[in-house]
Amino acid sequence: EIVLTQSPGTLSLSPGERATLSCRASQSITSLAWYQQKPGQAPRLLIYRASSRATGIPDRFSGSGSGTDFTLTISRLEPEDFAVYYCQQRGFSSVTFGQGTKVEI
Amino acid sequence: VQLVESGGGLVQPGGSLRLSCAASGFTFSRYGMHWVRQAPGKGLEWVTFIRSEGNKENYADSVKGRFTISRDNPNQMLYVQLNSLRVDDTAIYYCARDGPNYDIDLWGQGTLVTVSS
């Protein structure tokens, strides 16, 4: 099973700052997605195929990477961006998520 | 376009529960479907997947042999039967749609399952 490791566990930043979140896979993967989850809410798809923004996602969110190393960047944090972010990959017969990165004020 | 789960509740260890998910606003039969769970204060854990035709399922090792996913395409319903429940199965269970890009592009609001004596 492919393991996804996210870092850091918590990112403490201020509105307007840049956030850089990392997701590392235990072996090379072909596709990676990123999700945002706010307290009491279901996750929301942000990025698919490592770098494509989902419908309605602001362009301050961007994804990059390939192989085993992937990055989610939030160029300028807005108050509504403080949340937990998960990466996810889909294998042939299973799905795995990273453990999450909390972006806090 | 939405997914609405139901069927959660309090159950004793060793008990059973069936969760349901009603899909609307899209052609349910064209999509594979997942159940994903989240224990209180923890991260996301994939549980199970069923293909659009209903002819193939996959399960996480933690639930294999205890949980069974199924679907009713004409009525746009997804189910998961939870048997031999354990305390560590306590979680919010989300119904979710398999996206076209190896992602999960639609989530329900979740239903809480609590396993406790």
Side-chain angles (χ1 to χ4, degrees), chain A residues 30-31 33 35 37 41-45 48-49 86 88-90 92-99, chain B residues 34 36 38 42-46 49 51 58-59 94 98-105 107-109:
Chain A
T30 55
S31 190
Y35 302 84
Q37 187 179 34
Q41 296 184 18
R44 176 175 71 146
L45 177 65
Y48 62 91
R49 290 193 182 272
Y86 296 94
Q88 170 256 323
Q89 71 86 31
R90 169 128 176 251
F92 180 71
S93 60
S94 68
V95 172
T96 52
F97 292 92
Q99 81 279 20
Chain B
H34 302 267
V36 177
Q38 187 169 36
K42 303 297 184 182
L44 302 171
E45 180 189 15
W46 174 78
F49 168 78
R51 286 188 183 176
N58 300 110
Y59 297 91
Y94 294 102
D98 192 50
N101 298 293
Y102 304 101
D103 54 30
I104 295 175
D105 67 353
W107 298 72
Q109 86 289 349

Side-chain angles (χ1 to χ4, degrees), chain B residues 40-63:
Chain B
K42 303 297 184 182
L44 302 171
E45 180 189 15
W46 174 78
V47 175
T48 181
F49 168 78
I50 188 167
R51 286 188 183 176
S52 58
E53 306 91 344
N55 58 351
K56 174 70 175 175
E57 308 107 49
N58 300 110
Y59 297 91
D61 289 343
S62 58
V63 307

Side-chain angles (χ1 to χ4, degrees), chain B residues 1-68:
Chain B
V1 178
Q2 65 174 355
L3 300 167
V4 179
E5 303 93 334
S6 60
L10 175 64
V11 61
Q12 292 188 336
S16 297
L17 212 54
R18 188 173 90 148
L19 307 182
S20 302
C21 171
S24 61
F26 65 98
T27 306
F28 180 72
S29 61
R30 293 182 180 174
Y31 292 88
M33 296 295 296
H34 302 267
W35 288 96
V36 177
R37 69 184 180 182
Q38 187 169 36
K42 303 297 184 182
L44 302 171
E45 180 189 15
W46 174 78
V47 175
T48 181
F49 168 78
I50 188 167
R51 286 188 183 176
S52 58
E53 306 91 344
N55 58 351
K56 174 70 175 175
E57 308 107 49
N58 300 110
Y59 297 91
D61 289 343
S62 58
V63 307
K64 202 169 292 184
R66 300 188 299 122
F67 291 8
T68 303

